[in-house]
Amino acid sequence: MSSIKKLAGQTMWYGVSSIAARFINYLLTPYLTFKFSVAQYGEMSIVYAFIPFMNIVFTYGLETAFFRYSNTTDKNKVYNTTSVSLLISTLLFGFGMYLFQGPIARLLRIEEHVEYITLSIGIIALDALSTMAFAKLRLDGRPRKFALIKVAGILINVASVYFFLSVCPDIKAKNPDGFIGSFFDPEWAVGYSLLANLIQSAITLLLLSKEWLSFKWKFDTVLWKQMMRYSLPLIIVGFGGMINETLDRIMLNWWAPGGTEEATKEATGIYSACYKLAILISLSIQAFRMGAEPFFFKQAADGNAAKTYARVMKFFVITICFMFLGVALYLDIWKHFIRKPEMWVGLKVVPILLLANMFLGIYYNLSIWYKLTNKTMVGATITLIGAAITIIVNYLFIPHFSYMACAWATFLCYGTMMVLSFTWGQKAYPIPYAWKKLIAYIVIVVLLYLLHAAFTWIGLNNWFNHIFGTFLLFAFGWFILLVERKEFRQLPFIGKYLR
């Protein structure tokens, strides 16, 4: 249990940073949906769907390879080699993107704003250079500094966005011939959002300067080749993951019904805003991944590693079940974070996306088997199957069902990846997951949501709906305490009340 406590403690810090950062950033959703038109919000979403793809290319799986080889090789040698490799490749990839920024803008259907791609190159390059410094903090077990820098970066981003979109227009209105008034363009709102992100990435790298500059120009070619053989399949995993996570917004911009570019961008904006309401599940997944990846590799040598992984999975599934109910049962409250009521038409995708992200979180838990056994090509294969489902379902159904096709494609993709990873992994690296019980928990929360939806359909006052939702949430909590009483007794804080 001590190892799980350590993971929980580190995950709490990564969670604090992720939750605080994402929640602060999430508060931008009502602000940006108010400041931007629906089409502008869609345009911004398209750019931010493209950036993660290039993040995968720029980092090419080195982060996971760093954790993998730091446990078997001198970690300073590993850090030096990965840092040198990443610095050189970032310069090369960044220059290559700059040469082709025009075609990229046309591909994304934002050819009238090629400068968005220029700003994106800066963001991607700076984030790539920060990757190994953040990884070093995680490996060294320094989640507090990790958390503080992450939160500071988001606060800088929010402050910059507010300055560009609220302060600058007021200054221009009062003094149009002044310094700010002379260059500020109110129509360039999406550009200012990207510029704020670029400022955030630059200051984040500056705050990480101690870690980033601690590498030495020593490059081990033999070690690098070993790491590349391990990490290159992870590019496929990461790239396929981005296809599954963000390509739907780009495809929606291409094929959404409506016939006009304005209509497709509006559909993209609605879907992207509603997708943000699945944030709680996404937060728990991100926080868990930050703490779990180095933890799982360190735990691998322990004789009880498989049992530890199974227990971690159980706690994780219980947590995300509560988060599913916390969003799904109070969706009529969460929707007010989207300031434009015309976007609420897309709320029906939220429960589907919540379930899809639950599947994704479980998949990340399951994926440890192929990382531990060096079978990263298996992970690439599973991810490519998921990517194929995403592309095929979206291609066939977006022209008919718009963003609903995107939501169901995400659900089918992550569900399939979860099942494949479980069945494949149990043959190669058996882990005693309590899978029947965990499936039952997921089914129960879905049934509770459907029961609440049926109650809401009756048409009573919202207060009755909220009271009934709260009753269902507490009922599930009581049920979990009864079933898992023995497990929870061993936990700190909670355990003493159950003995």
Side-chain angles (χ1 to χ4, degrees):
M1 177 60 74
S2 60
S3 58
I4 294 181
K5 287 180 182 177
K6 184 177 180 181
L7 172 62
Q10 291 194 351
T11 300
M12 180 193 73
W13 277 104
Y14 295 126
V16 165
S17 66
S18 296
I19 290 171
R22 283 286 193 94
F23 188 73
I24 293 167
N25 196 32
Y26 184 58
L27 294 178
L28 281 175
T29 300
Y31 178 71
L32 292 178
T33 52
F34 174 72
K35 285 289 183 179
F36 291 175
S37 68
V38 179
Q40 279 181 322
Y41 194 83
E43 193 171 61
M44 183 190 70
S45 301
I46 292 163
V47 178
Y48 278 107
F50 167 73
I51 288 175
F53 278 99
M54 299 314 300
N55 284 336
I56 298 301
V57 175
F58 273 60
T59 55
Y60 49 95
L62 274 185
E63 186 180 37
T64 302
F66 171 69
F67 293 129
R68 170 68 179 80
Y69 282 88
S70 291
N71 287 306
T72 57
T73 310
D74 177 44
K75 67 179 184 180
N76 290 324
K77 183 190 293 185
V78 177
Y79 186 66
N80 292 337
T81 302
T82 52
S83 296
V84 172
S85 177
L86 200 59
L87 178 59
I88 294 172
S89 62
T90 297
L91 293 172
L92 292 174
F93 292 157
F95 181 68
M97 273 190 71
Y98 182 77
L99 292 179
F100 291 95
Q101 58 184 337
I104 293 171
R106 285 192 292 275
L107 177 67
L108 299 178
R109 299 181 70 182
I110 56 169
E111 54 267 30
E112 67 276 15
H113 291 294
V114 178
E115 70 275 10
Y116 293 172
I117 305 301
T118 309
L119 290 168
S120 298
I121 295 169
I123 295 167
I124 295 162
L126 291 171
D127 287 349
L129 294 176
S130 300
T131 299
M132 295 316 303
F134 275 125
K136 190 174 189 299
L137 289 176
R138 290 166 62 191
L139 185 69
D140 293 343
R142 301 177 64 194
R144 289 180 178 85
K145 183 171 183 179
F146 181 101
L148 289 173
I149 293 176
K150 283 287 186 181
V151 173
I154 291 294
L155 288 173
I156 290 164
N157 182 36
V158 172
S160 299
V161 168
Y162 182 78
F163 173 76
F164 288 129
L165 299 184
S166 289
V167 177
C168 287
D170 289 345
I171 294 175
K172 184 179 179 68
K174 294 175 181 177
N175 186 13
D177 298 323
F179 174 72
I180 290 177
S182 61
F183 75 82
F184 180 77
D185 180 5
E187 299 301 317
W188 202 61
V190 175
Y192 290 123
S193 177
L194 290 167
L195 181 58
N197 198 331
L198 182 63
I199 293 170
Q200 172 196 349
S201 298
I203 294 179
T204 296
L205 185 61
L206 183 64
L207 293 173
L208 287 165
S209 58
K210 182 178 179 180
E211 286 72 28
W212 187 67
L213 295 174
S214 66
F215 78 91
K216 298 179 181 178
W217 281 93
K218 294 181 179 180
F219 187 79
D220 190 316
T221 305
V222 175
L223 174 62
W224 183 80
K225 289 179 180 178
Q226 292 175 351
M227 294 176 71
M228 285 300 98
R229 283 194 291 271
Y230 179 85
S231 68
L232 286 178
L234 295 177
I235 298 177
I236 303 174
V237 173
F239 204 69
M242 285 302 106
I243 289 175
N244 300 332
E245 189 172 339
T246 62
L247 186 65
D248 52 1
R249 266 140 282 187
I250 296 174
M251 296 174 78
L252 191 60
N253 184 47
W254 290 340
W255 301 321
T260 66
E261 187 173 329
E262 185 80 5
T264 59
K265 286 181 178 177
E266 286 183 357
T268 306
I270 290 170
Y271 179 67
S272 299
C274 291
Y275 202 116
K276 296 230 180 226
L277 296 183
I279 189 171
L280 283 181
I281 302 291
S282 301
L283 287 176
S284 63
I285 293 170
Q286 182 178 353
F288 177 80
R289 285 181 69 190
M290 291 291 151
E293 194 163 51
F295 168 82
F296 281 153
F297 282 120
K298 289 179 181 178
Q299 197 69 26
D302 192 293
N304 293 319
K307 290 183 179 179
T308 300
Y309 299 154
R311 298 182 74 191
V312 169
M313 173 70 88
K314 182 191 293 185
F315 287 121
F316 179 80
V317 171
I318 290 171
T319 300
I320 60 177
C321 281
F322 276 106
M323 290 185 170
F324 173 87
L325 291 177
V327 178
L329 297 180
Y330 303 97
L331 195 54
D332 62 330
I333 296 176
W334 288 99
K335 72 180 182 183
H336 291 286
F337 278 89
I338 302 173
R339 290 286 298 276
K340 282 189 165 54
E342 58 265 37
M343 288 183 166
W344 295 352
V345 67
L347 289 173
K348 51 185 175 290
V349 304
V350 176
I352 304 168
L353 293 172
L354 287 169
L355 279 173
N357 279 281
M358 289 175 71
F359 296 158
L360 177 62
I362 294 169
Y363 169 74
Y364 282 137
N365 267 272
L366 295 169
S367 67
I368 190 60
W369 74 266
Y370 65 73
K371 294 178 182 177
L372 290 175
T373 57
N374 293 340
K375 295 181 179 179
T376 50
M377 274 306 300
V378 175
T381 302
I382 294 172
T383 307
L384 286 176
I385 292 171
I389 292 171
T390 297
I391 293 170
I392 292 170
V393 173
N394 281 320
Y395 175 76
L396 292 176
F397 296 107
I398 281 178
H400 306 288
F401 300 102
S402 191
Y403 44 77
M404 283 301 295
C406 298
W408 282 111
T410 304
F411 176 89
L412 292 171
C413 164
Y414 291 150
T416 302
M417 289 171 60
M418 175 184 68
V419 172
L420 286 175
S421 186
F422 174 76
T423 54
W424 209 330
Q426 289 302 92
K427 295 175 184 177
Y429 190 91
I431 296 175
Y433 295 118
W435 62 271
K436 292 182 181 178
K437 184 185 288 187
L438 300 184
I439 290 174
Y441 292 160
I442 295 172
V443 171
I444 288 170
V445 296
V446 172
L447 291 175
L448 290 176
Y449 162 71
L450 293 175
L451 178 61
H452 182 261
F455 184 83
T456 304
W457 183 76
I458 296 173
L460 298 177
N461 185 281
N462 279 341
W463 284 106
F464 287 103
N465 297 333
H466 297 160
I467 291 170
F468 185 60
T470 304
F471 168 76
L472 294 177
L473 184 62
F474 275 97
F476 180 71
W478 182 254
F479 169 75
I480 291 295
L481 282 177
L482 290 177
V483 175
E484 301 292 349
R485 190 179 188 89
K486 182 178 178 181
E487 194 77 80
F488 284 131
R489 280 176 177 170
Q490 302 178 54
L491 293 176
F493 305 114
I494 298 174
K496 64 183 180 181
Y497 296 107
L498 299 175
R499 297 188 184 109

